């Protein structure tokens, strides 16, 4: 544990006896120091007196009771944020960017504390938790270094050269509502909010109930980096109540989660005529072409499928492999999968950690059992491992999956993948595009140009060549998001910050009006204007 960690002395193992509610019994075992938790949860805007119990997937260890917000608390959070936003928008872009660079360093300096908390709340492998820190630091640095590129007022061509000066400015939306998921509790808590703050907005954030503490620690780091505390408000509570109250007050909504919930949010935002960005579900395909490096593809497939126990929006759940390399790929993939170390612990040695909850375990178990009952073959895995942790499920590779099986078209969001042979690349692309999702895809080939050509035919917002997901996700200048039912809008790049702004055009007319002058008739003015337009076209002006 680092010097910033706050694990209590009696938290060396899971709770095996004693009360289920440590809030009301001082002898109960917490995984985290109660004063540390209190300092974090104090930030939640709450007046209800109600709390939500949070336990770790690691042994079911109790972690906290998080205060819950009412709709009135949400309204109060927006009032505070809106009050602070005007002054924040008046702060220079350089000062906002400097705060992001301080956040970058704080994330790296405090990484052990952050990783510990992510693992406690999510049960993921420590190496997967580290990637959250790294991605968030990359995001902070990218937007800080490109702030002027994205936000400065720019000149555009006016109606007439010299006579018309036109400028386009980026004006902040106001107060942005961000509803983030549990699967990447640190990354998703801040990565969408960083560009919102840089653009001059305030934020009201509702992190998922299962991972509130990580999100609250992230908010604390914003304070330490020099952001005014009032510009980042945190609320907590059930999605239908708190989420609806946020949409009623926000100037823009950013949501990451299920397609079903995304549809409801889009409808509610449309009623208020406010914008939204939605990153939703996926059934992501990976294509291994006939000329692929089989061992490189097998290594990539392990990460593509089993990172964070498959609880990753861009993870692969369908692998299409060319006939020519199918048998060799399957041997290498199964072998690498069987060599993985599993567990629910804070150790670096764990390759794949736990699912987050009983609900996720139930879905994964149901999908595997349904596939097997209908004739699919388990090449490896397929079992719940309560000996390792309450929600640990083995990394599972299925063969012979057909359209009548639950896991064929529905998102599993767990460590389960289906293998399919293909005979031609046209067939592979067609099958990859089957269904209504379109979030992420992967293509493995020794020929990069060929891989990019295949990638452009796949209906996904991001496609990686010779990599699972990291190449696009880690390229912060490249937009990331879904096509079709995988969402709308993009995070990262220019689109990731411009979504939080309104474009405002200001044009100044010099010397002469855009109207008849010197006593011209409308007819004469039209002839003069026509001659001007012909001249501008000959000069090649846009």
């Amino acid at each position: 544990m680092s010097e910033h960690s706050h694990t209590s002395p009696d938290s060396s193992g899971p709770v095996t006896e004693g009360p289920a509610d440590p809030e009301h019994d001082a002898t109960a075992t917490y995984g985290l120091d109660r004063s540390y938790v209190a300092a974090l949860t104090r930030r939640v805007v709450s007046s209800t007196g109600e709390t939500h119990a949070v336990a770790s997937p690691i042994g079911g260890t109790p972690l906290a009771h998080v205060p819950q917000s009412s709709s009135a608390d949400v309204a109060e959070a927006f009032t505070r944020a809106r009050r602070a936003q005007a002054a924040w928008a008046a702060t220079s872009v350089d000062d906002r960017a400097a705060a992001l660079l301080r956040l970058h360093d704080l994330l790296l300096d405090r990484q052990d504390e952050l990783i510990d908390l992510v693992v406690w709340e999510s049960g993921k492998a420590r190496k997967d938790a580290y990637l959250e820190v790294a991605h968030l630091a990359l995001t902070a640095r990218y937007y800080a270094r490109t702030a002027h590129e994205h936000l400065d007022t720019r000149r555009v061509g006016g109606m007439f050269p010299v006579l018309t000066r036109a400028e386009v400015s980026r004006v902040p939306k106001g107060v942005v509502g961000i509803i983030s998921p549990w699967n990447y509790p640190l990354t998703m808590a801040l990565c969408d909010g960083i560009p919102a703050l840089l653009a001059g907005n305030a934020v009201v954030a509702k992190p998922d109930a299962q991972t509130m503490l990580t999100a609250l620690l992230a908010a604390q780091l914003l304070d330490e980096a020099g952001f005014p505390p009032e510009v980042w408000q945190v609320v907590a509570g059930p999605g239908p109540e708190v989420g609806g109250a946020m949409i009623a007050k926000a100037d823009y909504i950013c949501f990451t989660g299920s397609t079903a919930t995304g549809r409801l949010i889009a409808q509610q935002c449309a009623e208020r005529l406010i914008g939204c960005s939605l990153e939703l579900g996926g059934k992501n395909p990976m294509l291994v072409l006939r000329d692929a490096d089989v061992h490189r593809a097998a290594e990539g497939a392990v990460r593509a499928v089993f990172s964070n126990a498959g609880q990753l929006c861009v993870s692969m759940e369908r692998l299409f492999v060319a006939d020519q390399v199918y048998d060799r790929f399957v041997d290498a993939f199964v072998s690498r999968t069987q060599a993985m170390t599993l567990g629910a612990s804070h150790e670096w040695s764990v390759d794949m950690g736990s699912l987050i909850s009983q609900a996720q375990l139930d879905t994964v178990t149901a999908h595997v059992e349904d596939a097997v009952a209908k004739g699919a073959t388990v090449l490896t895995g397929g079992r719940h491992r309560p000996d390792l942790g309450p929600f640990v499920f083995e990394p599972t590779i299925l063969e012979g999956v057909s359209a009548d099986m639950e896991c064929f078209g529905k998102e599993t969001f767990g460590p389960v993948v289906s293998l399919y042979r293909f005979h031609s690349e046209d067939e592979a692309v067609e099958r990859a595009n089957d269904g209504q999702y379109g979030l992420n895809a992967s293509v493995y080939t020794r020929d990069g140009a060929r891989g990019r050509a295949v990638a452009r035919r796949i209906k996904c917002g991001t496609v990686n060549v010779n990599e699972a997901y990291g190449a696009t996700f880690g390229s912060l200048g490249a937009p990331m998001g879904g096509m079709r039912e995988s969402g709308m809008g993009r995070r990262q790049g220019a689109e990731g910050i411009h979504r939080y702004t309104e474009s405002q055009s200001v044009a100044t007319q010099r010397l002469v009006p855009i109207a008849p002058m010197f006593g011209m008739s409308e007819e004469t003015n039209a002839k003069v204007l026509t001659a001007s337009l012909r001249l501008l076209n000959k000069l090649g002006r846009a």
Side-chain angles (χ1 to χ4, degrees):
M1 296 291 179
S2 74
E3 60 180 325
H4 296 289
S5 295
H6 296 270
T7 304
S8 58
D10 59 353
S11 62
S12 59
V15 176
T16 55
E17 295 180 329
D21 186 358
E23 184 183 38
H24 302 296
D25 192 319
T27 66
T29 304
Y30 274 92
L32 297 167
D33 180 80
R34 279 173 281 186
S35 61
Y36 176 67
V37 170
L40 294 177
T41 58
R42 195 174 297 125
R43 192 187 183 105
V44 178
V45 181
S46 173
S47 61
T48 63
E50 299 174 0
T51 62
H52 172 75
V54 178
S56 175
I58 301 178
T61 305
L63 297 178
H65 281 72
V66 178
Q68 299 295 282
S69 306
S70 65
S71 57
D73 292 323
V74 173
E76 172 62 20
F78 274 92
T79 297
R80 295 178 189 177
R82 207 168 291 284
R83 190 166 52 231
Q85 187 269 329
W88 177 242
T91 303
S92 72
V93 170
D94 285 335
D95 285 346
R96 294 182 227 151
L100 281 185
L101 292 178
R102 290 191 293 271
L103 176 65
H104 173 278
D105 291 344
L106 277 170
L107 289 164
L108 299 180
D109 292 345
R110 302 274 288 277
Q111 64 179 278
D112 286 339
E113 178 185 2
L114 290 162
I115 291 169
D116 284 345
L117 199 51
V118 169
V119 174
W120 268 123
E121 286 200 295
S122 71
K124 67 175 60 181
R126 194 172 188 85
K127 65 178 184 178
D128 292 333
Y130 168 74
L131 293 177
E132 295 203 47
V133 175
H135 180 264
L136 207 50
L138 280 170
T139 302
R141 177 161 49 84
Y142 166 78
Y143 278 115
R145 298 298 187 194
T146 60
H148 286 286
E149 173 188 334
H150 297 312
L151 297 175
D152 282 0
T153 296
R154 60 188 178 90
R155 288 280 298 272
V156 297
M159 183 174 178
F160 294 111
V162 181
L163 301 179
T164 310
R165 173 188 175 121
E167 299 175 337
V168 178
S169 298
R170 290 285 173 179
V171 180
K173 291 274 190 182
V175 181
V176 172
I178 296 180
I179 302 172
S180 59
W182 49 260
N183 60 324
Y184 276 73
L186 178 61
T187 293
M188 304 313 298
L190 281 194
C191 74
D192 289 312
I194 281 172
L197 290 177
L198 181 64
N201 298 281
V203 169
V204 175
K206 191 196 91 66
D208 189 89
Q210 298 173 93
T211 51
M212 283 292 301
L213 299 181
T214 300
L216 289 166
L217 177 56
Q220 185 182 94
L221 293 188
L222 289 174
D223 295 352
E224 294 179 26
F227 290 91
E230 293 287 292
V231 302
W232 189 277
Q233 302 289 325
V234 182
V235 294
E241 179 181 347
V242 175
M246 289 178 68
I247 295 169
K249 295 290 185 180
D251 299 308
Y252 187 91
I253 290 288
C254 173
F255 170 76
T256 304
S258 73
T259 297
T261 302
R263 278 199 184 95
L264 294 174
I265 289 173
Q267 291 169 6
Q268 292 171 342
C269 288
E271 288 176 2
R272 289 198 57 231
L273 295 179
I274 63 170
C276 62
S277 52
L278 311 168
E279 191 207 279
L280 309 176
K283 193 71 179 177
N284 304 310
M286 174 174 161
L287 279 60
V288 181
L289 306 187
R290 63 181 180 273
D291 68 337
D293 180 326
V294 168
H295 292 287
R296 181 176 181 180
E299 183 277 329
V302 169
R303 286 185 293 106
V305 176
F306 303 125
S307 291
N308 196 26
Q311 300 167 119
L312 173 59
C313 56
V314 293
S315 67
M316 302 299 157
E317 295 193 6
R318 300 181 293 154
L319 264 59
F320 300 99
V321 186
D323 270 337
Q324 295 89 338
V325 295
Y326 184 88
D327 292 334
R328 287 186 291 131
F329 172 82
V330 170
D331 287 345
F333 183 36
V334 170
S335 176
R336 284 180 176 270
T337 301
Q338 291 174 337
M340 294 176 70
T341 57
L342 313 180
S345 79
H346 289 267
E347 302 303 319
W348 282 101
S349 58
V350 172
D351 291 321
M352 193 188 88
S354 173
L355 294 168
I356 194 168
S357 66
Q358 185 66 47
Q360 290 303 116
L361 176 63
D362 290 345
T363 297
V364 171
T365 303
H367 278 204
V368 172
E369 289 180 351
D370 173 76
V372 171
K374 294 175 180 174
T377 301
V378 176
L379 299 184
T380 190
R383 295 184 300 157
H384 175 209
R385 293 293 302 274
D387 55 311
L388 299 176
F391 311 129
V392 175
F393 196 93
E394 292 177 338
T396 301
I397 303 172
L398 299 175
E399 197 175 46
V401 171
S402 55
D404 61 330
M405 300 175 188
E406 288 286 306
C407 68
F408 179 83
K410 293 183 178 180
E411 185 178 28
T412 304
F413 216 62
V416 180
V417 67
S418 306
L419 291 176
Y420 307 91
R421 287 179 183 267
F422 69 81
H423 308 293
S424 71
E425 287 176 14
D426 287 344
E427 174 201 354
V429 170
E430 182 179 354
R431 293 168 73 182
N433 288 335
D434 188 33
Q436 295 304 310
Y437 290 120
L439 187 55
N440 182 50
S442 176
V443 179
Y444 274 80
T445 172
R446 294 178 191 268
D447 184 341
R450 181 161 159 248
R452 289 188 290 274
V454 171
R456 285 190 288 271
R457 297 170 61 195
I458 299 175
K459 297 175 182 177
C460 287
T462 57
V463 186
N464 298 263
V465 177
N466 293 329
E467 169 53 31
Y469 58 84
T472 52
F473 206 72
S475 299
L476 273 297
M480 185 265 171
M483 297 180 181
R484 301 187 288 175
E485 290 190 5
S486 287
M488 53 190 285
R490 296 290 185 268
R491 64 167 53 96
Q492 303 187 171
E495 292 176 63
I497 188 168
H498 286 168
R499 59 180 163 163
Y500 299 126
T501 66
E502 300 281 8
S503 58
Q504 183 186 56
S505 299
V506 176
T508 305
Q509 187 64 19
R510 297 188 181 96
L511 301 178
V512 295
I514 305 176
M517 56 185 180
F518 309 125
M520 284 183 185
S521 68
E522 291 290 351
E523 183 179 2
T524 302
N525 184 66
K527 290 178 180 179
V528 171
L529 183 57
T530 297
S532 300
L533 295 176
R534 292 187 189 280
L535 176 62
L536 290 172
N537 188 39
K538 287 182 179 180
L539 294 174
R541 184 173 171 85

Coordinates of all heavy atoms in Angstrom, one line a residue, residues 88 92-103 140 143-148 198 227:
W88 N -16.0 30.9 -13.8 CA -15.1 29.9 -14.4 C -14.9 30.2 -15.9 O -13.8 30.1 -16.4 CB -15.6 28.5 -14.1 CG -14.7 27.4 -14.7 CD1 -15.1 26.5 -15.6 CD2 -13.4 27.1 -14.4 NE1 -14.1 25.7 -16.0 CE2 -13.0 26.0 -15.2 CE3 -12.4 27.7 -13.6 CZ2 -11.7 25.5 -15.2 CZ3 -11.1 27.2 -13.6 CH2 -10.8 26.1 -14.4
S92 N -9.1 32.6 -17.8 CA -8.5 32.4 -19.1 C -8.3 30.9 -19.5 O -8.2 30.0 -18.6 CB -7.1 33.1 -19.1 OG -6.2 32.3 -18.3
V93 N -8.2 30.6 -20.8 CA -8.0 29.3 -21.2 C -6.7 28.8 -20.7 O -6.5 27.6 -20.3 CB -8.0 29.2 -22.8 CG1 -7.6 27.9 -23.3 CG2 -9.4 29.5 -23.3
D94 N -5.7 29.6 -20.6 CA -4.3 29.2 -20.1 C -4.4 28.8 -18.7 O -3.8 27.8 -18.3 CB -3.3 30.4 -20.2 CG -2.9 30.6 -21.7 OD1 -2.9 29.6 -22.5 OD2 -2.5 31.7 -22.0
D95 N -5.2 29.5 -17.8 CA -5.3 29.1 -16.4 C -6.1 27.7 -16.3 O -5.8 26.9 -15.5 CB -6.1 30.2 -15.7 CG -5.2 31.4 -15.4 OD1 -4.0 31.2 -15.6 OD2 -5.7 32.4 -15.0
R96 N -7.1 27.6 -17.1 CA -7.9 26.3 -17.1 C -6.9 25.1 -17.5 O -6.9 24.1 -16.9 CB -9.1 26.3 -18.0 CG -10.2 27.3 -17.6 CD -11.3 27.2 -18.6 NE -11.8 28.6 -19.0 CZ -12.3 28.9 -20.1 NH1 -12.5 27.9 -21.0 NH2 -12.7 30.1 -20.4
A97 N -6.1 25.4 -18.6 CA -5.2 24.3 -19.1 C -4.2 24.0 -18.0 O -3.8 22.8 -17.8 CB -4.6 24.8 -20.4
A98 N -3.7 25.0 -17.3 CA -2.7 24.8 -16.3 C -3.2 23.9 -15.2 O -2.5 23.0 -14.6 CB -2.2 26.1 -15.7
A99 N -4.5 24.1 -14.8 CA -5.1 23.2 -13.8 C -5.1 21.7 -14.3 O -4.9 20.8 -13.5 CB -6.5 23.7 -13.5
L100 N -5.3 21.5 -15.6 CA -5.3 20.2 -16.1 C -3.9 19.5 -16.1 O -3.8 18.3 -15.8 CB -5.8 20.2 -17.6 CG -7.3 20.3 -17.8 CD1 -7.7 20.1 -19.3 CD2 -8.1 19.2 -17.0
L101 N -2.9 20.3 -16.3 CA -1.6 19.8 -16.2 C -1.2 19.4 -14.8 O -0.5 18.5 -14.6 CB -0.6 20.8 -16.8 CG -0.7 21.1 -18.3 CD1 0.3 22.1 -18.8 CD2 -0.5 19.7 -19.1
R102 N -1.7 20.2 -13.8 CA -1.5 19.8 -12.4 C -2.2 18.6 -12.1 O -1.7 17.7 -11.4 CB -1.9 21.0 -11.5 CG -1.0 22.2 -11.6 CD -1.3 23.2 -10.4 NE -2.7 23.8 -10.6 CZ -2.9 24.9 -11.2 NH1 -2.0 25.6 -11.9 NH2 -4.2 25.4 -11.3
L103 N -3.4 18.4 -12.7 CA -4.2 17.2 -12.5 C -3.4 16.0 -13.1 O -3.4 14.9 -12.4 CB -5.5 17.3 -13.1 CG -6.4 16.0 -13.1 CD1 -6.8 15.7 -11.7 CD2 -7.7 16.2 -14.0
A140 N -6.0 14.4 -19.7 CA -5.7 15.7 -19.1 C -4.6 16.5 -19.9 O -4.8 17.7 -20.2 CB -5.4 15.6 -17.7
Y143 N -5.8 17.6 -23.7 CA -6.7 18.7 -23.7 C -6.0 20.0 -23.2 O -6.2 21.1 -23.8 CB -8.0 18.5 -23.0 CG -9.0 17.7 -23.9 CD1 -9.4 16.4 -23.5 CD2 -9.5 18.2 -25.1 CE1 -10.3 15.7 -24.3 CE2 -10.3 17.5 -25.9 CZ -10.7 16.3 -25.5 OH -11.6 15.6 -26.3
A144 N -5.1 19.9 -22.3 CA -4.4 21.0 -21.8 C -3.5 21.6 -22.9 O -3.4 22.8 -23.2 CB -3.5 20.7 -20.6
R145 N -2.8 20.7 -23.6 CA -1.8 21.1 -24.6 C -2.5 21.5 -25.9 O -1.9 22.3 -26.7 CB -0.9 19.9 -25.0 CG 0.0 19.5 -23.8 CD 0.9 20.6 -23.3 NE 1.9 20.1 -22.3 CZ 2.6 20.8 -21.5 NH1 2.4 22.1 -21.5 NH2 3.4 20.3 -20.6
T146 N -3.7 21.2 -26.2 CA -4.4 21.5 -27.4 C -5.6 22.5 -27.1 O -6.4 22.7 -28.0 CB -5.0 20.3 -28.1 OG1 -5.9 19.6 -27.2 CG2 -3.9 19.3 -28.5
A147 N -5.6 23.1 -26.0 CA -6.7 24.0 -25.6 C -7.0 25.1 -26.6 O -8.1 25.3 -27.0 CB -6.5 24.6 -24.2
H148 N -5.9 25.8 -27.0 CA -6.1 26.9 -27.9 C -6.5 26.4 -29.3 O -7.3 27.1 -29.9 CB -4.8 27.7 -28.0 CG -4.6 28.6 -26.7 ND1 -5.3 29.7 -26.5 CD2 -3.7 28.4 -25.7 CE1 -4.8 30.2 -25.3 NE2 -3.9 29.5 -24.8
L198 N -12.6 22.4 -19.3 CA -11.6 23.2 -20.1 C -12.4 24.2 -21.0 O -11.9 25.3 -21.2 CB -10.7 22.3 -21.0 CG -9.7 23.0 -21.8 CD1 -8.7 23.8 -20.9 CD2 -9.0 22.1 -22.8
F227 N -9.0 23.5 -9.5 CA -10.3 23.8 -10.1 C -11.2 24.3 -8.9 O -11.1 23.7 -7.8 CB -11.0 22.6 -10.7 CG -10.3 22.2 -12.0 CD1 -9.3 21.2 -12.0 CD2 -10.8 22.7 -13.2 CE1 -8.7 20.8 -13.2 CE2 -10.2 22.3 -14.4 CZ -9.1 21.4 -14.4

